[in-house]
Amino acid sequence: MQAIKETHFNFPGQTGFYRGKVRDVYYFGDLMAMVATDRISAFDVILPKAIPDKGRVLNQIAAFNLQATRDLVPNWVLETPDQNVTIGFKCEPFAVEMVVRGYLAGHAAREYKAGKRTLCGVALPEGLKENDKLPNPIITPTTKAAVGHDEDISREEILKRGIVSEADYKKLEEYTLKLYKKGTELAAERGLILVDTKYEFGRHNGVIYLIDEVHTPDSSRYFYAEGYEARQKAGETQKQLSKEFVRQWLIENGFQGKEGQKVPEMTESKVGEISARYKELYEHVRGEALGAVDYGRLSQRIEQSILNSINSANLQAKKN
């Protein structure tokens, strides 16, 4: 299997390019083509090896969920012409990520275990165990760092610093809770629990849009619903589908993205294991097996799909 670590296209009419942690983005005026590569990041660090099929898994799960939620919240997507490509509006992003949590897991659980009872200005009750369901979903925003680590921030601090206006922030909160409610319903249909997730928003022509990916294993954490209660009562680790297993492997091998720490060796076996887990989540979320692909033509296929879309009269009609 071949992995797409990065792309190097040069399109007619291209007006810009941006390489993120996972995506390569090509700009065409107020349109953008987002390529989901197979890069993988954890603790805000891009790991040295790409994971075959990861990009198309993320892109197709995101496409499914963006379509399933667009009646609740407008989103940036115009079309998904390829398994690894999404075309949409170029939006001016808000400088915060809206993280919503329904359970005490991951970062929140680590903070709670360290003795903290307030997370991003939100008070947490005493007596919780890791992976317990919270009384109500909570929003724990983070700053959106251009370089380095995102940082926890409270609603009050966001408004105080003027990062987002109060009117806009209320709309982001409203959209976040609507999306999380829908996401939990979609997950339940597949025997999963949407534990926590993050949403990003941007503005285009004065309208707030949901941007980036939605309810993917990179942006979300899922538990298997079957056996959840029994595992909690027994104090057992929850069976989950998310990128958390990658973080745990890194932690166990002495890496959390801190200065001076070295990423552990990613053997071919470990890369294959991670790839298999992403496919597993795809099958659960989409209810179908991941289709076959011609690994010999990945780059050409992606390039041609972008060219065809950007030149498409149908795309221009959707834009207008």
Side-chain angles (χ1 to χ4, degrees), residues 157-210:
E157 190 66 20
I158 290 169
L159 300 182
K160 180 181 175 182
R161 291 193 207 171
I163 298 172
V164 180
S165 73
E166 185 168 6
D168 284 345
Y169 195 78
K170 284 181 178 177
K171 180 59 72 173
L172 299 189
E173 287 180 317
E174 175 194 331
Y175 281 169
T176 294
L177 293 174
K178 279 184 178 180
L179 288 164
Y180 183 68
K181 183 175 184 294
K182 180 67 173 180
T184 60
E185 293 167 359
L186 291 169
E189 291 173 6
R190 299 295 182 194
L192 298 171
I193 295 169
L194 180 58
V195 177
D196 52 42
T197 190
K198 73 174 179 71
Y199 304 112
E200 297 185 44
F201 298 93
R203 198 191 303 276
H204 175 76
N205 289 344
V207 177
I208 294 176
Y209 288 90
L210 173 64

Side-chain angles (χ1 to χ4, degrees), residues 90-309:
K90 179 183 177 183
C91 298
E92 184 63 35
F94 288 97
V96 293
E97 293 184 352
M98 301 296 282
V99 180
V100 56
R101 304 176 184 277
Y103 295 74
L104 186 73
H107 171 66
R110 290 190 284 272
E111 293 288 281
Y112 195 88
K113 188 176 181 180
K116 296 183 181 179
R117 293 296 180 267
T118 302
L119 186 62
C120 301
V122 180
L124 297 171
E126 292 288 347
L128 292 176
K129 303 194 306 294
E130 184 173 2
N131 300 331
D132 274 353
K133 186 174 183 178
L134 298 173
N136 295 292
I138 62 172
I139 296 174
T140 58
T142 67
T143 57
K144 181 62 179 168
V147 177
H149 296 281
D150 299 341
E151 295 180 358
D152 290 345
I153 190 170
S154 68
R155 181 189 200 275
E156 292 70 26
E157 190 66 20
I158 290 169
L159 300 182
K160 180 181 175 182
R161 291 193 207 171
I163 298 172
V164 180
S165 73
E166 185 168 6
D168 284 345
Y169 195 78
K170 284 181 178 177
K171 180 59 72 173
L172 299 189
E173 287 180 317
E174 175 194 331
Y175 281 169
T176 294
L177 293 174
K178 279 184 178 180
L179 288 164
Y180 183 68
K181 183 175 184 294
K182 180 67 173 180
T184 60
E185 293 167 359
L186 291 169
E189 291 173 6
R190 299 295 182 194
L192 298 171
I193 295 169
L194 180 58
V195 177
D196 52 42
T197 190
K198 73 174 179 71
Y199 304 112
E200 297 185 44
F201 298 93
R203 198 191 303 276
H204 175 76
N205 289 344
V207 177
I208 294 176
Y209 288 90
L210 173 64
I211 62 174
D212 201 43
E213 63 183 16
V214 177
H215 301 156
T216 75
D218 270 21
S219 67
S220 314
R221 189 187 325 270
Y222 290 92
F223 289 158
Y224 285 90
E226 185 178 357
Y228 166 78
E229 294 290 351
R231 284 188 287 271
Q232 277 304 96
K233 286 178 182 175
E236 297 173 356
T237 302
Q238 285 298 331
K239 187 180 179 187
Q240 65 173 285
L241 284 171
S242 71
K243 199 168 64 172
E244 184 65 17
F245 76 95
V246 177
R247 298 187 192 97
Q248 288 300 326
W249 171 70
L250 291 169
I251 290 170
E252 288 164 8
N253 286 275
F255 182 81
Q256 295 188 58
K258 297 177 181 176
E259 191 174 346
Q261 294 181 337
K262 185 179 178 182
V263 177
E265 181 189 2
M266 293 180 72
T267 63
E268 290 305 310
S269 174
K270 177 55 67 175
V271 169
E273 176 192 334
I274 296 171
S275 179
R277 292 287 289 273
Y278 272 93
K279 291 177 193 174
E280 183 184 359
L281 191 133
Y282 175 90
E283 291 172 6
H284 277 275
V285 172
R286 293 294 303 264
E288 61 187 24
L290 186 65
V293 67
D294 179 0
Y295 290 101
R297 296 190 64 259
L298 286 180
S299 183
Q300 299 97 310
R301 189 199 75 208
I302 289 168
E303 183 178 22
Q304 193 60 51
S305 73
I306 294 173
L307 273 171
N308 292 345
S309 283

